[in-house]
Amino acid sequence: MKFSFGSDQLALAETLAEVLAKRCPPELVRAVWQSESGYSEELWEALGELGVLAVAVPEAYGGLGMNQVDLVKLLEESGRAAAPVPLLEHAGVGVPALAETTATELAEHWLPLAAAGEVIVTAAVPGSEHQGDGNTVVSLVSYAAQADLAILSCQGELFAVEQQNYQVQELESVDGSRRLGWVEWSPQDAFGLPGASSESVFERGVLAAAAQSIGVADHLLETTVAYVKEREQFGKPVGSYQAVKHHLADVAKAMGFARPSVYAAAWAVSQDTEKLTQQEQQKFVSAAKSLASDAADLAARKCLQCHGAIGYTYESDLHLWLKRAWSLSASWGDAHWHRRRLAGLLGI
Amino acid sequence: MKFSFGSDQLALAETLAEVLAKRCPPELVRAVWQSESGYSEELWEALGELGVLAVAVPEAYGGLGMNQVDLVKLLEESGRAAAPVPLLEHAGVGVPALAETTATELAEHWLPLAAAGEVIVTAAVPGSEHQGDGNTVVSLVSYAAQADLAILSCQGELFAVEQQNYQVQELESVDGSRRLGWVEWSPQDAFGLPGASSESVFERGVLAAAAQSIGVADHLLETTVAYVKEREQFGKPVGSYQAVKHHLADVAKAMGFARPSVYAAAWAVSQDTEKLTQQEQQKFVSAAKSLASDAADLAARKCLQCHGAIGYTYESDLHLWLKRAWSLSASWGDAHWHRRRLAGLLGI
Amino acid sequence: MDTPEGFEQHREWEKQLFAGGWSVPAWPEKYGGRDCSLVEWLLYEEEYWASGAPGRVSANGISLLAPTIFSFATAEQQERFLRPMAAGEEIWSQAWSEPNAGSDLAALSTKAQRQGEWFVLNGQKTWCSRGAFADWFFALVRTDPEAERHRGLSYLLIPRDTQGLEVREVARIDGQPGFAELFFEDALVHESNLLGEEGQGWAVAMATTGSERGLNLRAPGRFMAGADRLVALAASEGQTSPPGVAGLPVAQAAPDSGSAARGAASETLDSLREDVVRCWVESRAYRWLCYETAERLASGESLGSEASFMKIFWSELDVELHATALRLLGETGELAGPKAQAGGAWMDGYLFALSGPIYAGTNEIQRNIVAERVLGLPRR
Amino acid sequence: MDTPEGFEQHREWEKQLFAGGWSVPAWPEKYGGRDCSLVEWLLYEEEYWASGAPGRVSANGISLLAPTIFSFATAEQQERFLRPMAAGEEIWSQAWSEPNAGSDLAALSTKAQRQGEWFVLNGQKTWCSRGAFADWFFALVRTDPEAERHRGLSYLLIPRDTQGLEVREVARIDGQPGFAELFFEDALVHESNLLGEEGQGWAVAMATTGSERGLNLRAPGRFMAGADRLVALAASEGQTSPPGVAGLPVAQAAPDSGSAARGAASETLDSLREDVVRCWVESRAYRWLCYETAERLASGESLGSEASFMKIFWSELDVELHATALRLLGETGELAGPKAQAGGAWMDGYLFALSGPIYAGTNEIQRNIVAERVLGLPRR
């Protein structure tokens, strides 16, 4: 195990950061949140061109054949920019599941398209589905209305469902980047995904949410540090008050400790289960998510407080990141849920 | 229900506070912690003369015939002074149990002595006992070696056991005021206590521990406020730094909210169960103990921190109160335990 | 409350309350009250909130301004303002903050220059709560431009339709209008709208600050009712919900394997039970503190700076209470709007609660006050 | 460790470690080390603590002083001091604080006046960790009485048997000797014991402060082993213990009635399970941060002020870890000494941990450093 990233990994992440800084300003995020389309098609295209969507696609299908370690910093950057695209669902969860299946026809058809960004693949939390009317299943899926293919589970089995085979009832989230919907579908109208496991889908989704969370929290901390240096009250910058300093020092500390654990979890889930058992991998993942969720929640709370009333308005961009932090911290299992899973894994 | 104390109650508490201020300085506490006897006989005698030990004793037996509302401020004052006497066990739990029993011979014999402070009655947490060798029962009892009579429970029944009928194996507590021991006894050599309930013993013990806790925490806060006003670093009092201010403001807030709940619980347990069901009383008591324990723990943690290294020495008196806070917060059910009981009482 | 239509419904509700004599029970009868005691008012608030009745759009007026009017206004002013305020006919908004004077209120700079019977106002106010819908504003302005900081301020009551006053709506964090920014350009306010003496605005305002932080703004009934709803939510969780209806704790059903089994499903809920209980306990602790305080006040004592720790306590409890509810809702906790659990009330309540630790003096300022004025620590 | 006899056992253990080459594996071979890398040292520490091996009485020397000696000492000094330090033959104590200079280290006033080859010391040092048993002290003293604050300080190595030095033992919070106060009255220290240049004591000392707060003082292995023991304790709880043996969670068996049944016995434990897991997770988070940091250092980067948030993190984790254990022990958690669970190790560990947020710069100071030097917030 190495505790640092390779230069390829860093270069791609850096390039992505530059592209996002240029092409994904807060104005874009704000516009997409209020849009009909639900995501930025231009940005999606740019990510496709950059190769970001091809990272976890095997080379045989036009991808880069990389793994979760390569993805983690990309997801972190997308979180930092609050990028309004289904990167978590597509690159973090959907594509790796397709790459894993032994249903090669399915992979052959979808993966080259996915690598190029010509389609969107989404995925739901396995096990979150419930029984619908008749033979249908109902799953809570993000970007369901935007996706071409959804990776869904039913009783522990994974399925790939094409858009024309599911019905979406759209929901409203506090986070405009989360285009959630109840999806009604039937396993009869879906492709099985032999070889892909719902456990892996879950671990990867958790990891991706953790990675985005730390990017979001980083941005919150950075903008708040900048704000409290500028904003003056009682004749000096509010950032010179010890209470504000300690709020932000606590956020910095939480971030500083969550990040290496998220990277370690990315390493863990990219290991063969013969080298690192599934249970050991789960420990890494749950530890990372609990730390990242707590850090994001803390960042959201403290950064709003340090902004004061201005941060409580819709005009300020802060709320875009606050709401991303909340929804990411709660999705794919919140900190509590993951600590409970760890309790089981640790035998207590 | 009234939300303030009567003048009699306040007068007795004030008198007690004066006596303790004079006769129970930190030097006495320190000496008793290291003594063989385990409690201050002089102070005990003084409390007897003052009538403090007679509060819950019925008038027919030479007492004042008062109740938990009358006791609560006395216990609080004894906590403030870290008074090294078995007041919680005797006046808070043991005597009320004897006053409740229909075994009048027992009450007739013991209560006048208890009112005068000529004997010490102790009590254990009901239900905490376990099976000993043969027919014996083993209970964890404080001041067992000092007491003349112990109120103990076995399988939900209460018993009064005279000292010659139990064996004490003394234990060492971090808190020198807690003379703990494993007590081995047999129900065959004990008097039954018909009419007295183990549930009431428990509620009264919890309440007494909560009342003492807030007194202890109050003292911690007061001495720390005094210290941080005096102690200078970087050319000004450490109490002028916002971090120190906010630590102590948090303690003041926790105390301010715990205290009225403790008084409310005292009112609750003094009510007839026909007026206020046992379950409602338990809610008051568990709420009070969870708040008081948390406040005491917070006070201990923050006050040590605000003292810095000096508070970490045995020479400083601070540790006497820190250790009292820890043991009281953990005894008779800690904050977690009482919140769990409340969860059940609230039906969740 | 957050749309023009919603606001009109609220105003209607205020009128009904007033007609029944239930708008301001603690006020004198002549202004529509029932002369009830503070303890009776606390009981009334408990009943009010337990019934599920809505928030009060007239809160800024009846809780923040009215105590000041009772203490400082002329008989004419009392006659003029109190009944319409209680009846919901005139909605009030607080116009204190300025872009450069939030926590540091003494730094405010909006000028009000005397010209005969009139004050000529120039400057800007911001973050006026409920300002988007208000008919009147109560403001602190600088009548003596030479005086520094606390000195030279006056307390003015300003009608929304004042010439030279432009009201710009500002959306709150939930995207709904609520706040307003006020721009004064040679706006004229008559001297009959001066509350208290000219130049004494700070002293007058501090009386209102006291009520803002203390009992009048947030009666425990509100949090007791919230905690009770939270307990009910916790008790009902784990029951699956029909599709399309929020409330399914999705993540709790995520796959588990091997020894992880103990961490799943209903046990997830266990880990939140203590948080629910903590909220319930704190709502009751606030209740007992308020009753005790009410009795002290009735016996002639004054509240003082302890109001600051009340404000810290209820504002942080309110955030925890709603955050706990959202955690109980699991992956559907992020939902908003009518399709969400309880019609989105938990998310709405959460967003609303987040303003608590910020407004009426941030909790950082409140902790300073507790430390300096209650505990006596040195200011610097 | 806390009695003279215990201390001698510890010294014996240090000698054995050194003989086996395991006292200071990260040091050069010539001083008894193995030249191992930082990552290897982290792994060594994990093994050391996992094995249940005791705390290191030589920690002040090998973790705090040695890095300074490697950076600033003359070849003669390195030759003289390092091996006996590593072998446990000479135990070192830090003598920095003074009664009026704790957090504010630059305020220290103990004077060391040059007289030829000697320094003449007058003044007082306090809270010298392990000073009760130390053979040597490393101190910061004022060699230029005219200079203010950081200037004019020098770094001296002082033998315990120095004439004019009186060592008074001060008991720690557990009542056991540990600290010492030093009283200098015309005490003579030879110039060969000056570390670094005269008047440069602050710069020299800050290098030690860096190691104190960073990796060298507290390797994650210590907390990982602690968290593992905590997990084992949680897994074993609920099993009743034989009489006379601590470990019975007494309060958990307190009577419950009616619907309160759910709050009893084993479920009480549930409410603590998450705290246990949190400690375990944080011990691992600290591990990954340290490995990452070690790799950065190996590639030539320097640690800097991030060491401050490491210190906050491990010191607060250490308190939580032991507090959680005591809560798991229920009413027997307050027991101390050999009859307590694990021979009193949990209570001992708790008392020891409480010093963490205070020493080596309080955590309040550390948070200032993180805010000002890592985040760049204005100092005032």
Side-chain angles (χ1 to χ4, degrees), chain B residues 52-128:
Chain B
V52 167
L53 305 180
V55 167
V57 174
E59 286 168 290
Y61 299 122
L64 303 179
M66 297 161 92
N67 63 21
Q68 299 296 316
V69 177
D70 305 292
L71 268 173
V72 69
K73 279 194 90 72
L74 304 178
L75 287 158
E76 184 182 343
E77 291 306 327
S78 75
R80 188 189 313 281
V85 287
L87 189 66
L88 183 158
E89 294 79 1
H90 178 97
V93 190
V95 162
L98 288 172
E100 211 174 33
T101 183
T102 53
T104 43
E105 276 174 43
L106 206 65
E108 265 167 29
H109 173 70
W110 286 100
L111 283 173
L113 297 170
E118 284 165 28
V119 295
I120 293 175
V121 184
T122 189
V125 178
S128 71

Side-chain angles (χ1 to χ4, degrees), chain A residues 213-235:
Chain A
S213 296
I214 59 173
V216 169
D218 246 5
H219 175 91
L220 283 169
L221 180 58
E222 273 167 36
T223 46
T224 306
V225 164
Y227 180 76
V228 301
K229 282 184 190 172
E230 290 290 321
R231 170 79 178 166
E232 297 202 350
Q233 287 286 275
F234 303 102

Side-chain angles (χ1 to χ4, degrees), chain A residues 93-95 97-98 121-124 149-153 158-161 193 201:
Chain A
V93 189
V95 163
L98 288 172
V121 185
T122 189
L149 189 74
I151 309 298
L152 306 175
S153 87
L158 283 184
F159 296 88
V161 197
L193 280 174
V201 163

Side-chain angles (χ1 to χ4, degrees), chain C residues 247-328:
Chain C
L248 181 76
V250 175
Q252 298 173 10
D256 56 285
S257 54
S259 70
R262 283 179 69 181
S266 72
E267 292 206 27
T268 304
L269 194 56
D270 274 353
S271 77
L272 290 173
R273 276 166 67 203
E274 237 190 288
D275 292 340
V276 172
V277 171
R278 196 178 273 112
C279 292
W280 185 89
V281 166
E282 293 189 354
S283 72
R284 267 58 190 178
Y286 187 44
R287 179 192 208 193
W288 303 128
L289 179 65
C290 287
Y291 278 99
E292 194 190 74
T293 306
E295 215 155 276
R296 280 203 289 125
L297 295 177
S299 72
E301 288 184 51
S302 66
L303 183 58
S305 307
E306 289 162 43
S308 284
F309 70 57
M310 288 190 172
K311 194 257 166 168
I312 302 169
F313 195 82
W314 63 250
S315 62
E316 295 180 359
L317 166 59
D318 205 23
V319 174
E320 281 317 313
L321 201 157
H322 289 90
T324 302
L326 297 181
R327 284 201 298 274
L328 276 173

Side-chain angles (χ1 to χ4, degrees), chain C residues 157-363:
Chain C
L157 308 176
I158 305 170
R160 184 191 189 103
D161 57 9
T162 297
Q163 281 231 342
L165 163 59
E166 191 200 327
V167 179
R168 188 176 80 89
E169 289 184 11
V170 176
R172 294 181 317 216
I173 199 167
D174 59 1
Q176 300 296 335
F179 295 148
E181 275 189 309
L182 312 185
F183 298 89
F184 297 98
E185 216 181 305
D186 292 333
L188 295 180
V189 176
H190 192 260
E191 64 174 12
S192 61
N193 290 339
L194 178 68
L195 193 58
E197 285 175 46
E198 189 173 335
Q200 291 303 307
W202 184 258
V204 176
M206 284 305 103
T208 314
T209 305
S211 23
E212 194 173 42
R213 288 178 197 146
L215 280 176
N216 283 344
L217 184 62
R218 290 281 180 263
R222 183 189 177 102
F223 307 104
M224 290 167 62
D228 288 343
R229 279 196 298 277
L230 180 64
V231 166
L233 178 67
S236 72
E237 272 304 320
Q239 301 167 11
T240 49
S241 311
V245 175
L248 181 76
V250 175
Q252 298 173 10
D256 56 285
S257 54
S259 70
R262 283 179 69 181
S266 72
E267 292 206 27
T268 304
L269 194 56
D270 274 353
S271 77
L272 290 173
R273 276 166 67 203
E274 237 190 288
D275 292 340
V276 172
V277 171
R278 196 178 273 112
C279 292
W280 185 89
V281 166
E282 293 189 354
S283 72
R284 267 58 190 178
Y286 187 44
R287 179 192 208 193
W288 303 128
L289 179 65
C290 287
Y291 278 99
E292 194 190 74
T293 306
E295 215 155 276
R296 280 203 289 125
L297 295 177
S299 72
E301 288 184 51
S302 66
L303 183 58
S305 307
E306 289 162 43
S308 284
F309 70 57
M310 288 190 172
K311 194 257 166 168
I312 302 169
F313 195 82
W314 63 250
S315 62
E316 295 180 359
L317 166 59
D318 205 23
V319 174
E320 281 317 313
L321 201 157
H322 289 90
T324 302
L326 297 181
R327 284 201 298 274
L328 276 173
L329 293 174
E331 297 236 340
T332 61
E334 69 179 69
L335 296 182
K339 286 184 195 164
Q341 178 98 354
W346 288 114
M347 179 56 81
D348 283 350
Y350 179 62
L351 293 173
F352 183 76
L354 286 173
S355 66
I358 296 170
Y359 78 94
T362 64
N363 284 10

